[in-house]
Amino acid sequence: MMSKDPQIDAAARSLIAQYGEDAETIAMLRAAEFAAAGDVKALSEWDRIIEAIRLFLAAGEPGASADAPAPTGPRH
């Protein structure tokens, strides 16, 4: 199942491709960095990435190619 945002899906698949089952943990750590910095918009995006990771892993979908980099912050 894919989200409505292909960039969120690409980030989730990239993290899964790079970190496998640990992708959710890595994404949670990154989200925590933005939460600590008070960046609500970036935190919201990372929450969406975490949800996409959960959905992909639950569905047993393989990670996408590693050429889709994980986001480093908000898209403006």
Side-chain angles (χ1 to χ4, degrees), residues 14-63:
S14 177
L15 287 166
I16 293 168
Q18 187 171 4
Y19 298 106
E21 295 290 325
D22 293 329
E24 183 179 352
T25 300
I26 298 300
M28 286 181 165
L29 291 170
R30 192 71 173 129
E33 292 174 14
F34 287 105
D39 189 336
V40 178
K41 186 171 182 169
L43 174 60
S44 175
E45 287 190 7
W46 278 96
D47 285 343
R48 292 174 57 211
I49 293 167
I50 292 165
E51 183 59 28
I53 290 170
R54 288 178 181 154
L55 291 172
F56 289 139
L57 291 178
E61 293 189 33

Side-chain angles (χ1 to χ4, degrees), residues 57-75:
L57 291 178
E61 293 189 33
S65 65
D67 61 352
T72 57
R75 297 175 312 214

Side-chain angles (χ1 to χ4, degrees), residues 2-3 5-16 56 64-65 68-71:
M2 294 180 65
S3 73
D5 186 335
Q7 290 181 323
I8 294 294
D9 290 344
R13 288 180 186 275
S14 177
L15 287 166
I16 293 168
F56 289 139
S65 65

